[in-house]
Amino acid sequence: MSSLGHAQQFEPGAATADRRLNLVGLSRDELTAELASIGAPPFRARQLWHWIYHRGVTDFAAMSSLAKDFRARLAERYVIQRPAVNRALQSVDGTRKWLLAFPDGQEVEAVHIPESDRGTLCVSSQVGCTLTCRFCHTGTQRLVRNLSAAEIVGQVMLARDALGEWPSPQDGRLLSNIVMMGMGEPLYNYDNVAKALKIVMDGEGISISKRRITLSTAGVVPMIRRCGAELNVNLAISLHAVTDEIRDEIVPINRKYPIAELLDACRSYPGLNNARRITFEYVMLRDVNDSPADARALVRLLKGIPAKVNLIPFNPWPGSPFECSTDEVIAQFSQIVFDAGYASPVRTPRGQDIMAACGQLKSESVRLRASQRAAAHG
Ligand code: SAH
């Protein structure tokens, strides 16, 4: 288990306890306007942007391209803050998880998953979730609020701090990809997610391309269209069932936006081709959605959509009403989808010893203590 040095309070886009404004999470235009309010011209905003998002500097005194008195004026009014880190855990497989705390006492988690050719950060968009998908642990959490843009960008910056990855490297990055697959439904917090992702994608800063960002949604159809038009990041759809009858039960947002409408929105998502496909996530639930007939129905549904299928072994949690399909059943399902011409990898669980896996991004202190024990013994 590793632990991080940051213990500051994190008050995104708002006056901090000492009344200074956090600059993290402001759009370029907002930063320019903010600096104009203290009489600084637009090129100063650009310099600051470089220091904050390319160099990762948190102390104005280190901004050597700015005059000393200007640095001092900035430090009087502003701060550059990260989320507070309540816990940092590292799995035997290299997966890292940070439990982040906000000033209102709410916590979310961010998870970094290293692989041979990339490193992916799983980012949360909300505290809790309103969707109540039956197999997901986050849905059982009572408190829900949206994260601000600063709280979302802050997860990326904090991970980059911990990985020692400033200034933004050209390539070979440890944090090369982002998936909006943590806690929450990103398309129910679209404005803040969009603002945060625009900051993250900005070529003069963190500079992670839209091709390396995937937004996962349970299917907020109208917002899928907006996301395509405005952000055009990769899309992942939590499909999980092939009939409205079953999907109504396990992914209740289906009652509002049924499968046909959802797939229509997918079909018209801009920029799709064989090299840029929609990922359909499908959690394998024993005797619920895992028959060969289900696999064949899935293939029929996906017809005409550049798609790949990600089969996720169900991750049980205490009291969860499902079991994971057997390995044989998963392999058979995968084969049917593969034979129809779709990539159908089975997701390997990562970071199990630190409870980093799908649907377990939950931060009750009881569960946290359990995960610390697991990490200590791992
Ligand atoms: N709300 C978004 C993103 C968060 S969930 C969405 O629904 O896509 C990220 C992924 O983890 C989704 O595909 C979700 O269905 C899946 N998931 C949630 N709980 C799980 C569990 N217990 N086992 C396996 N996958 C799970």
Side-chain angles (χ1 to χ4, degrees), residues 129 131 133 135-137 180-186 216-218 236-238 240 281 283 312-317 347 358-360:
C129 190
L131 288 178
C133 299
F135 50 84
C136 179
H137 202 181
M180 297 300 304
M181 279 185 198
M183 291 166 64
E185 168 49 51
S216 178
T217 179
I237 301 287
S238 293
H240 303 322
E281 296 161 278
V283 62
I312 315 174
F314 169 62
N315 242 299
W317 33 276
R347 191 183 287 175
C358 297
Q360 300 197 329

Side-chain angles (χ1 to χ4, degrees), residues 275 277-281 302 305-310 337 342-345:
R277 291 168 290 174
I278 293 183
T279 302
F280 288 87
E281 296 161 278
L302 298 184
I305 306 175
K308 56 190 162 193
V309 175
N310 208 334
V337 175
Y342 298 98
S344 55

Side-chain angles (χ1 to χ4, degrees), residues 239-317:
L239 190 62
H240 303 322
V242 293
T243 64
D244 284 325
E245 199 190 347
I246 305 281
R247 197 165 190 269
D248 279 352
E249 281 306 309
I250 63 177
V251 185
I253 195 182
N254 195 68
R255 295 174 203 162
K256 198 163 179 189
Y257 306 111
I259 293 176
E261 279 180 39
L262 176 56
L263 294 182
D264 264 354
C266 290
R267 260 184 210 95
S268 47
Y269 197 76
L272 294 182
N273 54 50
N274 249 343
R276 197 147 187 262
R277 291 168 290 174
I278 293 183
T279 302
F280 288 87
E281 296 161 278
Y282 199 94
V283 62
M284 298 301 295
L285 303 172
R286 183 175 191 163
D287 298 334
V288 174
N289 63 357
D290 62 352
S291 72
D294 289 324
R296 288 190 291 270
L298 176 59
V299 166
R300 283 196 297 276
L301 283 178
L302 298 184
K303 199 159 192 290
I305 306 175
K308 56 190 162 193
V309 175
N310 208 334
L311 299 176
I312 315 174
F314 169 62
N315 242 299
W317 33 276

Side-chain angles (χ1 to χ4, degrees), residues 358-370:
C358 297
Q360 300 197 329
L361 297 183
K362 189 170 170 170
S363 52
E364 268 175 15
S365 54
V366 177
R367 291 176 54 73
L368 177 66
R369 281 198 296 277

Side-chain angles (χ1 to χ4, degrees), residues 41-107:
F43 80 92
R44 292 283 177 223
R46 198 166 166 186
Q47 285 178 311
L48 218 57
W49 187 273
H50 176 89
W51 282 111
I52 297 171
Y53 294 113
H54 179 73
R55 303 290 291 265
V57 160
T58 54
D59 183 357
F60 293 103
M63 300 182 174
S64 52
S65 62
L66 306 179
K68 269 209 169 118
D69 61 330
F70 184 56
R71 287 184 240 166
R73 280 176 62 208
L74 290 173
E76 276 167 24
R77 290 174 175 78
Y78 308 118
V79 288
I80 301 163
Q81 276 181 328
R82 307 291 194 251
V85 178
N86 268 4
R87 294 285 182 281
L89 302 171
Q90 185 153 11
S91 161
V92 288
D93 71 11
T95 300
R96 299 172 74 153
K97 180 170 91 167
W98 297 276
L99 178 64
L100 307 174
F102 303 116
D104 63 355
Q106 292 304 317
E107 297 173 321

Side-chain angles (χ1 to χ4, degrees), residues 112-114 118-121 163-165 169 172-177:
H112 179 257
I113 306 141
R118 70 181 70 185
T120 304
L121 188 72
L163 296 165
E165 202 154 59
R173 294 184 183 193
L174 297 170
L175 200 175
S176 59
N177 293 53

